[in-house]
Amino acid sequence: MLLSKSFGYAVRGILYISMLQKEGRKVQVEEIAEKLAVPKHFLGKILQELVKVGLLRSTKGPYGGFELASETLSSTLFDIFKTTDDAEQLTHCVIRTNSCDTQNPCPLHENISVIREEFKRLLLNTTIEDLTSSGAELTLDRIATTKL
């Protein structure tokens, strides 16, 4: 139940775009990939998925690039998680037994259920705006070097 690289790249990409959008400009995938030190093609696919679900907008051309959609700041981390990861993993047995549920629990079921619920609550209750106004000083350099 660890977060994927895709999720981390998506969150960092959105945060990076949000900081540069304050300067009134769109950001191209090459710049984001270079600054975040992530593979350009992989990041491009992730950002295009975020466009498909309405978390980002993209414009082609020399003055094109990515920008936040109007509802991005109010979107939750769970919205990103559903886009980059299989949300069903929150229900799979962590030790991979064939049948694990409240009626037939594996040895870790009770403990992991508490952790899963808290994790899901965190994702559902944390918005992008919460991250951008969290009191933690977000700088371009810090986003670039953050490892999620």
Side-chain angles (χ1 to χ4, degrees):
M1 190 170 62
L2 298 174
L3 297 170
S4 69
K5 281 185 181 183
S6 297
F7 177 81
Y9 292 171
V11 172
R12 290 171 57 208
I14 288 172
L15 291 174
Y16 187 84
I17 293 166
S18 117
M19 294 194 71
L20 291 181
Q21 192 165 314
K22 292 174 185 172
E23 298 174 5
R25 68 179 183 99
K26 296 177 180 132
V27 191
Q28 296 187 342
V29 69
E30 294 83 6
E31 176 184 346
I32 302 167
E34 181 183 325
K35 294 294 183 182
L36 301 183
V38 300
K40 177 180 81 169
H41 294 291
F42 186 43
L43 179 64
K45 289 179 183 180
I46 294 166
L47 296 179
Q48 285 303 325
E49 286 300 313
L50 295 172
V51 168
K52 284 181 189 175
V53 298
L55 291 171
L56 292 177
R57 289 190 307 232
S58 86
T59 308
K60 295 183 186 225
Y63 299 104
F66 291 94
E67 62 184 337
L68 301 184
S70 57
E71 59 278 343
T72 305
L73 291 177
S74 62
S75 299
T76 67
L77 291 180
F78 192 71
D79 296 324
I80 298 170
F81 183 75
K82 289 185 308 188
T83 304
T84 61
D85 293 71
D86 176 14
E88 289 295 312
Q89 71 178 309
L90 295 175
T91 62
H92 294 289
C93 177
V94 294
I95 61 172
R96 308 284 189 230
T97 63
N98 288 334
S99 61
C100 175
D101 55 32
T102 55
Q103 301 301 317
N104 189 22
C106 75
L108 291 175
H109 185 82
E110 295 300 320
N111 292 330
I112 205 70
S113 290
V114 173
I115 294 167
R116 276 188 178 137
E117 287 306 311
E118 187 60 31
F119 178 66
K120 191 171 181 182
R121 191 172 12 266
L122 171 75
L123 294 176
L124 285 167
N125 294 325
T126 305
T127 66
I128 298 301
E129 187 170 28
D130 292 337
L131 298 180
T132 61
S133 62
S134 70
E137 185 180 337
L138 274 182
T139 62
L140 294 178
D141 287 336
R142 184 141 187 219
I143 292 168
T145 58
T146 301
K147 301 264 189 219
L148 294 176

